[in-house]
């Protein structure tokens, strides 16, 4: 087990900068999640930690030792890490037991120890009875469990997981997410979990790092990320807030021809601002602009109303009520966040 | 909307349209391939005691020659092609596309030409290398020389399927090994190599078959070697040349060669099936070349050196031979062979004959192959591949037996006019077509598998009949694979040697037999001119094909 530290890490493919100066300190035993939309550089960051990509600038150290930096690059096989890939990467020509034994064999462990630790690792992921199966006889969820056992069996200093659940269907994803949480509680390994799914990140991690276009926008506990997003992007990505561009004038927010009344408790600074408001923080009725209804979607526990606002769509979630597309309804703020520009 | 009454004639349900085609093609295949093979086996019944022929000292020597040269060729091809494929497909080796192109070039050349190149280089007395380094430094004659030349010629048979298998392995499999503590070499050897091994081994078995079936190179490098190194194919050829007395022995030796081929084929099938793992279909595959680091340049230099020595050097030697006034002497350059060959009526005749025969065979192979593939009957497709798996010498002997005057008379009294094939060019056309049917069927079947069926369905819904929809919507999508089938058949037939030497009508030549005769008996310089012209033709056609396919791609 070890901590990881990234300092001003840069990476470009050709002329496109993919990671633009990331700094991140992960404590030993911490479970951190890298969250962001597809293409924002999460995989690249993780692969640099793994040693599968080299850096253009910056340093990475693991357990206090510099593994990448101006002084050189330590190849992945010398970093003592474990990694779980989105595509499972279970070797199809080796049985489950042979897959899991491989890292131990490369460490030169004696036979008896290998057998014992393989059995133990397979028990962690509840695959004890599948040791002799070939990968072609396993389902996606089982393959990913094999990959997790293989990544953990050699007691890695850090476990890296790159969207390990996104190839699985919804029910399995839920189940395996719980198992990862349980394993983590049991083994206490430092984990870096890459995902584009905010639910996974918020549910699992001690801290979440939200990435956007190659930079980290915010690092915080899941609660704080959700409750006080520090940028409009984080507010929009985590919790799916509506984002409106406009001006604060007194206790009003003017957005094109429409004016919202800011509820008390919303800190406002006069001038141009971005307003981020979650669908459930808006309500129908009250004091606010009257907007034409675009569509009404029944969600089960609530109903979503979509309005046209300038050239964007405003989403409001609230109790079910009668309304027809085209009808104008009043929309008001119950809560919101303002980001001066 | 009005409801239409059901007076529109309905077609019967079920398949049935393809029946006639299937039947015709099966009968043709049975007649021109099944029957000759059956007659060959029938002849063997009346032949002298098999074991007596098989275990005669000359036969054992020929068998040993075949085994040693074929195993040697297969081992050589495997040893060179597999590391090369790993480097090309899985790493950031520089110049990998150039290396791939050079090492696959022998697939488009007759092995005989490579053999000629090595004779020019490493004939113990007169070879260029020996002229430079002292007589007797290198000797290309004998079993090992045959193995070396055939191994180079058969290298693409291992390289191409191995590359194909390797390019379907997701890089995360190797990366997982790296994270588990494996060095790059270890990751390649313990993960990528085992995954591609079934493909490499079946390619190696094909290389063995190719070498065991070869005739030109063993003749060139074996018959005049000292001591002579016969193989089964050259022995069979010798027996056939002896006429009536030798024919029964030729038949029995053919069966031995056929048996050897069948054993290797079945063995490799079983082996491939056992080690088979399903590789990615290529969808969503991510390929990241493994960095070679400091080994990059030395490895590239090794690859380039190998390519130069194995492929480019013998071709250059052929070119040099074509402009050497006296073979085996470095006495300046001269164009006398070129002007002599190009103005010789015999060469012109043979060239025209070969071009005509090859074009006709290629057209037949492409059309029949499309027919076979469009019946969608797997058994017919497999059957049409059988003639290619059979050594050419054996196929030629079977055709000689079936369609030479005597046998025909006994069996086909009434239809004699169809069957006056013996000693005519038609016999060559039949042989070329039957032998290479697999090229047409395989390319057409692969092409049909890629075809977007909805295009033909859209044509049907627009009012086209099935036939019309096939010609308007399906056939245009098959242009590339059919062109490829035509070209590969054409190029193979235009200098075909093994079938031609046994089936050519007396007193006439095709390019292959002319090349063979000039090289073996009279005039290596003139042979080199023909070989050079052919190599240039191959390279030009391949460039043209690349350009055409590249322009088509968006
Ligand atoms: N090997 C590569 N070559 C060129 N561009 C790449 C390569 N790998 C990733 N990229 C690009 O870098 C960006 C970030 O990729 P990635 O780190 O995989 O994003 P994420 O994992 O967040 O979806 C993407 O735009 C992607 O296209
Ligand atoms: Mg990714």
């Amino acid at each position: 087990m070890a901590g990881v530290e990234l300092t001003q890490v840069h990476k470009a493919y050709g002329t496109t900068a993919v990671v633009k100066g990331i700094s991140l300190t992960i404590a030993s035993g911490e479970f951190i999640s890298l969250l962001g939309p597809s293409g924002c550089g999460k995989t690249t960051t993780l692969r640099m930690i793994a040693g599968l990509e080299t850096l253009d600038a910056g340093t990475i150290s693991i357990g206090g030792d510099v593994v990448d930096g101006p002084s050189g690059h330590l190849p992945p096989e010398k970093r003592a890490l474990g990694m779980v890939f989105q595509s499972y990467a279970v070797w199809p020509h080796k049985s489950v037991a042979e897959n899991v034994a491989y890292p131990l064999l490369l460490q030169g462990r004696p036979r008896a120890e290998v057998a014992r630790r393989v059995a133990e690792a397979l028990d962690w992921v509840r695959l004890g009875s599948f040791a002799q199966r070939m990968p072609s006889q396993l389902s996606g969820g089982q393959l990913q469990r094999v990959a997790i056992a293989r990544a953990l069996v050699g007691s890695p200093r850090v476990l890296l997981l790159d969207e390990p659940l996104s190839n699985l269907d919804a029910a399995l994803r839920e189940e395996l997410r719980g198992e990862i949480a349980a394993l983590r509680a049991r083994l206490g390994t430092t984990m870096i979990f890459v995902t584009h799914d905010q639910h996974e990140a918020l549910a699992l991690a001690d801290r979440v790092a939200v990435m956007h276009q190659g930079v980290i926008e915010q690092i915080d506990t899941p609660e704080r990320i959700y409750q006080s997003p520090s940028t409009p992007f984080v507010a929009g990505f985590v919790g799916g807030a509506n984002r409106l561009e406009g001006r604060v004038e007194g206790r009003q927010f003017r957005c094109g021809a429409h004016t919202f009344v800011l509820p008390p408790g919303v800190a406002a600074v006069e001038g141009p601002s971005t307003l981020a408001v979650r669908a459930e923080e808006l309500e129908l009725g009250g004091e606010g602009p009257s907007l034409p209804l675009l569509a009404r979607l029944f969600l089960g526990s609530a109903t979503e109303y979509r309005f046209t606002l300038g050239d964007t769509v405003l989403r409001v979630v609230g109790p079910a009520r009668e309304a027809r597309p085209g009808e104008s309804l009043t929309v008001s703020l119950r809560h919101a966040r303002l980001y001066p520009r | 909307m009005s409801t239409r009454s059901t007076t529109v004639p309905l077609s019967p349900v079920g398949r049935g349209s393809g029946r006639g085609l299937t039947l015709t093609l099966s009968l043709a295949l049975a007649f021109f391939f099944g029957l000759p093979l059956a007659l060959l086996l029938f002849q063997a019944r009346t032949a002298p005691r098999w074991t007596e022929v098989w275990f005669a000292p000359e036969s054992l020597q020929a068998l040993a020659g075949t085994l040693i040269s074929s195993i040697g060729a297969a081992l050589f091809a495997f040893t060179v092609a597999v590391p090369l494929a790993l480097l090309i497909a899985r790493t950031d080796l520089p110049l990998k596309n150039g290396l791939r192109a050079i090492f696959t070039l022998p697939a488009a050349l007759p092995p005989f030409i490579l053999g000629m190149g090595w004779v020019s280089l490493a004939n113990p007395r007169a070879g260029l290398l020996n002229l430079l380094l002292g007589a007797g430094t290198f000797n290309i004659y004998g079993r090992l020389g045959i193995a070396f030349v055939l191994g180079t010629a058969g290298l693409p048979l291992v390289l191409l399927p191995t590359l194909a298998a390797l390019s379907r392995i997701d890089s995360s499999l190797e990366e997982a090994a790296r994270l588990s503590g494996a060095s790059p070499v270890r990751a390649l050897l313990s993960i990528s190599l085992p995954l591609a091994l079934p493909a490499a081994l079946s390619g190696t078995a094909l290389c063995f078959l190719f070498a065991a079936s070869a005739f030109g190179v063993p003749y060139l490098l074996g018959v005049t070697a000292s001591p002579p190194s016969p193989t089964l194919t050259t022995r069979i050829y010798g027996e056939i040349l002896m006429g009536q007395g030798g024919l029964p022995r030729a038949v029995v030796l053919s069966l031995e060669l056929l048996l050897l081929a069948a054993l290797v084929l079945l063995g490799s099938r079983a082996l491939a099936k056992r080690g088979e793992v399903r590789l990615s279909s290529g969808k969503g595959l991510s390929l990241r070349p493994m960095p070679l680091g400091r080994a990059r340049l030395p490895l590239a230099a090794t690859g380039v050196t190998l390519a130069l020595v194995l492929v480019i050097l013998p071709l250059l030697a052929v070119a040099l031979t074509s402009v050497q006034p006296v073979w085996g002497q470095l006495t300046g350059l001269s164009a006398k062979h070129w002007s002599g060959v190009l103005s010789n009526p015999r060469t012109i005749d043979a060239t025209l004959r070969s071009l005509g025969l090859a074009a006709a065979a290629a057209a037949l192979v492409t059309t029949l192959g499309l027919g076979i593939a469009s019946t969608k009957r797997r058994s017919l497709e497999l059957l049409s591949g059988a003639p290619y798996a059979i050594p050419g010498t054996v196929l030629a002997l079977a055709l000689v037996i079936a369609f030479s005057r005597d046998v025909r008379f006994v069996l086909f009294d009434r239809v004699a006019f169809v069957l006056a094939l013996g000693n005519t060019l038609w016999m060559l056309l039949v042989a070329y077509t039957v032998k290479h049917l697999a090229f047409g069927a395989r390319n057409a079947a692969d092409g049909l598998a890629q075809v977007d069926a909805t295009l033909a369905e859209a044509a049907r819904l627009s009012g086209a009949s099935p036939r019309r929809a096939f010609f308007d919507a399906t056939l245009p999508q098959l242009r590339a694979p059919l062109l490829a089938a035509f070209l590969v058949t054409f190029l193979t037939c235009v200098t075909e040697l093994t079938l031609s030497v046994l089936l050519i009508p007396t007193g006439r030549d095709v390019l292959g037999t002319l090349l063979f005769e000039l090289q073996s008996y009279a005039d290596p310089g003139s042979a080199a001119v023909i070989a050079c012209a052919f190599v240039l033709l191959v390279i030009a056609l391949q460039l043209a094909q690349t350009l055409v396919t590249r322009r088509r791609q968006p």
Side-chain angles (χ1 to χ4, degrees):
Chain A
M1 227 192 302
V4 177
E5 185 160 4
L6 281 72
T7 320
Q8 282 304 314
V9 170
H10 285 264
K11 175 77 184 176
Y13 289 112
T15 54
T16 36
V18 172
V19 172
K20 306 169 193 163
I22 282 189
S23 297
L24 177 64
T25 307
I26 301 164
S28 180
E30 192 176 19
F31 189 142
I32 201 154
S33 177
L34 290 184
L35 173 66
S38 162
C40 70
K42 308 179 296 290
T43 297
T44 307
T45 307
L46 196 73
R47 289 171 57 82
M48 287 191 288
I49 298 172
L52 294 170
E53 302 283 349
T54 49
L55 322 189
D56 294 340
T59 48
I60 297 180
S61 42
I62 299 175
D65 311 320
V66 175
V67 292
D68 254 310
S71 49
H73 165 84
L74 190 70
E77 63 268 25
K78 304 225 170 87
R79 296 192 177 194
L81 306 175
M83 183 157 174
V84 179
F85 296 80
Q86 181 174 352
S87 56
Y88 319 134
V90 171
W91 302 307
H93 61 300
K94 292 180 187 284
S95 71
V96 168
E98 285 166 343
N99 262 281
V100 178
Y102 188 82
L104 297 175
L105 293 178
L106 287 177
Q107 289 175 8
R109 306 274 168 191
R111 235 165 222 273
E113 185 190 339
V114 171
R116 181 177 56 73
R117 288 177 63 177
V118 166
E120 192 181 31
L122 286 177
D123 279 340
W124 291 339
V125 295
R126 303 192 294 113
L127 281 180
S129 55
F130 289 81
Q132 298 317 315
R133 295 272 188 103
M134 291 308 282
S136 57
Q137 300 166 301
L138 301 184
S139 68
Q142 290 166 332
L143 285 173
Q144 199 55 298
R145 288 204 184 93
V146 175
I148 293 172
R150 181 181 67 191
L152 283 173
V153 73
S155 311
R157 297 195 288 171
V158 181
L159 180 64
L160 311 173
L161 304 107
D162 188 2
E163 312 229 5
L165 307 180
S166 44
N167 275 357
L168 305 174
D169 60 44
L172 262 176
R173 204 179 306 160
E174 196 94 349
E175 182 184 328
L176 212 56
R177 193 204 291 175
E179 286 184 25
I180 290 176
L183 264 178
R184 193 268 161 150
R186 177 164 170 182
L187 302 174
T189 313
T190 313
M191 293 195 189
I192 306 178
F193 186 102
V194 161
T195 180
H196 65 262
D197 180 337
Q198 50 158 323
H199 302 294
E200 272 171 22
L202 297 178
L204 287 171
D206 298 331
R207 281 195 302 156
V208 177
V210 182
M211 277 185 75
H212 179 47
Q213 295 183 344
V215 298
I216 293 181
E217 296 248 333
Q218 184 175 6
I219 312 181
D220 244 320
T221 61
E223 294 78 11
R224 288 189 52 79
I225 291 273
Y226 190 81
Q227 257 132 38
S228 353
S230 63
T231 67
F233 172 79
V234 177
F237 190 74
V238 183
N242 298 289
R243 271 175 291 173
L244 307 177
E245 305 293 339
R247 287 185 65 83
V248 175
E249 295 175 358
R251 292 305 297 171
Q252 290 189 330
F253 181 76
R254 217 177 264 285
C255 173
H258 306 289
T259 306
F260 290 92
V261 177
L262 297 173
V266 175
V269 179
E270 197 81 15
S273 274
T274 304
L275 179 124
V277 55
R278 296 202 172 104
E280 60 274 18
E281 292 167 344
L282 285 158
E283 68 184 347
L284 301 183
E287 202 181 342
S290 176
L291 302 171
L293 182 66
L294 191 62
R296 178 168 160 273
L297 290 76
F298 179 59
L299 301 181
S301 56
T303 301
E304 180 181 322
Y305 304 85
R306 293 193 177 174
F307 295 92
T308 318
L309 179 79
D311 49 8
T312 61
V313 172
L314 187 72
R315 294 164 50 246
V316 177
V317 169
R321 60 166 276 189
E322 217 31 66
R324 290 190 165 279
E327 200 174 315
S328 279
L329 298 173
T330 312
V331 177
S332 62
L333 302 174
R334 285 196 292 123
H335 186 66
R337 269 158 232 90
L338 278 166
Y339 302 92
R341 270 176 293 146
Chain B
M1 244 186 271
S2 69
T3 45
R4 213 169 0 152
S5 61
T6 55
T7 49
V8 183
L10 300 174
S11 326
V13 180
R15 54 204 292 184
S17 50
R19 284 260 171 80
L21 184 62
T22 310
L23 194 67
T24 317
L25 289 169
S26 309
L27 280 179
L29 201 58
F31 187 76
F32 287 111
F33 174 63
L35 179 76
L37 210 61
L39 286 175
L40 179 77
L41 295 177
F42 183 77
Q43 280 266 317
R45 232 176 34 113
T46 59
R49 298 251 304 283
W50 294 15
T51 47
E52 231 163 72
V53 179
W54 286 1
F55 295 117
E58 316 90 78
S59 306
L60 285 178
Q61 203 197 359
L63 178 64
T66 291
L67 286 177
I68 290 172
S69 59
S70 310
I71 291 173
L75 278 180
F76 178 77
F78 181 89
T79 318
V80 176
V82 170
L84 196 66
L86 280 171
L87 287 173
I88 291 177
R90 307 303 307 177
T91 72
D92 63 347
L93 186 78
L95 303 175
K96 51 167 108 166
N97 289 331
L99 286 176
R100 182 202 309 245
I102 293 178
F103 278 106
T104 46
L105 183 62
L109 298 176
F112 195 69
I113 290 184
L114 282 182
M116 288 168 57
W118 279 105
V119 167
S120 295
L121 285 168
N123 178 301
R125 279 177 303 104
L128 294 167
L129 293 178
N130 292 323
L131 292 180
L132 293 174
L133 303 170
T137 313
F138 291 105
N139 181 4
I140 196 64
Y141 293 95
R143 288 164 176 171
L144 292 184
I146 299 173
F148 171 69
V149 173
L150 290 177
T152 309
L155 201 120
L157 294 173
V158 188
L159 184 64
L160 291 175
T162 312
L163 279 174
L166 283 172
S167 66
R168 292 169 55 204
I169 297 173
D170 196 290
S171 289
S172 63
L173 291 180
E174 288 158 352
E175 289 165 358
R178 296 293 300 282
L179 264 296
S180 303
S183 67
V185 173
R186 179 104 192 213
L188 281 177
L189 294 185
S190 67
I191 306 299
S192 324
L193 178 62
L195 289 173
L197 203 57
L201 286 179
S202 71
T204 306
L206 283 185
C207 182
F208 177 95
L209 281 182
F210 158 81
S213 312
F215 167 74
V217 172
Y219 192 90
L220 184 64
L221 303 179
V223 171
T224 55
S226 55
S229 313
T231 61
L232 286 173
T233 52
T234 56
R235 267 272 292 164
I236 294 169
Y237 175 72
E239 295 288 3
I240 296 173
L241 285 197
M242 284 175 58
Q244 277 310 315
L247 205 58
R249 278 197 299 277
V251 168
V252 173
L253 288 173
S254 288
L255 289 185
E256 185 175 7
L257 187 55
L258 206 54
L259 202 65
L260 184 66
L263 281 179
V264 170
L265 213 57
L266 290 178
S268 83
R269 285 268 157 80
L271 207 69
K273 202 150 259 161
R274 225 176 33 143
E276 207 167 39
V277 284
R278 214 153 48 89
L279 296 175
S280 150
S281 61
K283 216 176 112 209
L285 188 75
S286 74
L287 285 178
R288 289 172 293 267
M290 198 184 288
L292 288 171
R294 251 170 308 165
R296 208 164 164 250
L297 290 180
L299 284 172
T302 313
V304 170
T305 311
L306 263 180
L308 287 178
V309 170
L310 292 181
V311 183
I312 305 297
L313 189 63
L315 295 182
L316 283 181
V318 172
L320 196 57
T321 305
S322 77
V323 292
Q324 265 182 308
V326 184
W327 194 69
Q329 287 176 26
L330 293 172
T331 50
L333 303 179
S334 121
K336 80 168 196 201
H337 296 303
W338 281 87
S339 56
V341 169
L342 295 181
S343 61
N344 185 341
R346 200 175 155 204
T347 327
I348 296 168
D349 272 359
T351 308
L352 291 179
R353 210 170 278 138
S354 274
L355 290 177
L357 273 171
L364 275 172
V365 160
T366 310
T367 319
L368 294 174
L370 180 60
I372 289 169
S374 61
T375 65
K376 306 251 165 168
R377 296 199 191 243
R378 190 87 186 105
S379 50
L380 188 60
E381 203 189 310
L382 279 179
L383 209 61
S384 71
Y388 191 68
I390 284 180
T393 311
V394 178
L395 181 65
L397 181 60
L399 287 170
V400 165
I401 287 170
F403 298 119
S404 70
R405 210 158 285 261
D406 293 336
V407 180
R408 164 182 64 88
F409 202 73
V410 176
L411 279 176
F412 302 107
D413 206 11
R414 299 272 170 80
V415 280
F417 63 99
V418 182
L419 293 159
L421 286 176
N423 219 25
T424 67
L425 289 176
W426 294 109
M427 183 83 135
L428 268 185
L429 183 59
V430 167
Y432 287 178
T433 307
V434 168
K435 169 91 178 172
H436 303 108
L437 212 47
F439 293 175
R442 187 159 16 87
N443 274 297
D446 289 353
L448 278 175
Q450 307 274 322
V451 156
D452 182 354
T454 56
L455 294 185
E457 289 164 3
R460 292 295 305 280
L461 289 175
S462 312
S465 66
R467 182 185 302 262
R468 183 73 198 261
F470 180 79
F471 280 103
D472 288 351
T474 309
L475 201 55
Q477 299 182 66
L478 292 173
R479 214 174 295 157
L482 293 184
L483 179 69
F486 183 91
L487 277 183
V488 70
T489 313
F490 178 81
L491 285 178
T492 315
C493 291
V494 91
T495 54
E496 206 288 332
L497 173 59
T498 312
L499 297 166
S500 310
V501 283
L502 289 171
L503 298 175
I504 190 78
T506 28
R508 296 200 237 176
D509 301 303
V510 287
L511 272 181
T513 55
L514 186 63
L515 197 63
F516 178 66
E517 207 182 299
L518 288 174
Q519 174 72 28
S520 311
Y521 303 111
D523 188 357
S526 301
V529 171
I530 298 176
C532 271
F534 183 74
V535 173
L536 293 178
L537 174 73
V538 167
I539 293 175
L541 278 178
Q542 288 202 330
L543 283 181
Q545 198 186 2
T546 318
L547 287 182
V548 168
T549 37
R550 194 168 290 168
R551 223 187 21 202
R552 285 271 162 73
Q553 273 155 11

